[in-house]
Amino acid sequence: MIGKKVLETEPVPTAEVKEILEGFAAEHDLTYEQNLTLDHVIKFSKLELEDSNKLIGELEELLKKKYAVRITDMLPEDLADLRLLFAKERIPIKNEDMEQILKIVDKYRTE
């Protein structure tokens, strides 16, 4: 059987996807799907790559990386928004931790 096997997966923030696709677009023609993805990350990426990585690093002290990346991409503004990100997850997060997460995210908000 000929096929591809996924060896490893790692969540990456939208800022990193934006950097990767912009670098690739400078050298090659993008496919339709890649163009759609680039347009999406340009519109919805809220932080620069450096700030995004710093925020993920701070959030990883409290959460797993996949949750830190999700919070970095969304930048929730209040507890309700943060709870929505974890609505389908089975991880217990205390209200004190959620408030601390929001304080960390507020430091990086550029609005």
Side-chain angles (χ1 to χ4, degrees):
M1 178 177 169
I2 298 174
K4 295 181 181 179
K5 180 179 177 183
V6 177
L7 299 176
E8 180 181 344
T9 61
E10 182 179 339
V12 294
T14 56
E16 188 171 342
V17 173
K18 179 181 168 187
E19 294 282 327
I20 291 168
L21 284 176
E22 286 176 340
F24 189 76
E27 299 174 13
H28 308 300
D29 291 332
L30 297 179
T31 64
Y32 176 74
E33 292 85 2
Q34 290 168 333
N35 273 320
L36 287 177
T37 304
L38 181 59
D39 289 341
H40 177 82
V41 295
I42 287 173
K43 288 178 187 173
F44 294 106
S45 182
K46 298 179 181 181
L47 295 175
E48 294 297 320
L49 182 57
E50 183 179 324
D51 291 336
S52 182
N53 287 334
K54 286 180 186 176
L55 178 56
I56 290 170
E58 287 188 41
L59 291 173
E60 278 186 301
E61 296 174 8
L62 301 171
L63 303 163
K64 290 183 179 179
K65 184 170 183 171
K66 74 176 194 175
Y67 302 119
V69 169
R70 189 181 299 169
I71 290 170
T72 300
D73 288 343
M74 300 301 286
L75 292 179
E77 295 181 7
D78 54 20
L79 285 174
D81 291 344
L82 191 55
R83 284 191 182 104
L84 284 174
L85 290 175
F86 295 104
K88 292 187 178 185
E89 301 297 330
R90 295 182 182 243
I91 61 167
I93 299 179
K94 300 175 188 171
N95 278 341
E96 300 86 35
D97 290 341
M98 286 191 172
E99 290 173 6
Q100 187 175 359
I101 289 169
L102 287 175
K103 286 179 185 177
I104 292 170
V105 169
D106 283 340
K107 291 190 295 187
Y108 291 91
R109 185 164 287 131
T110 58
E111 296 177 338

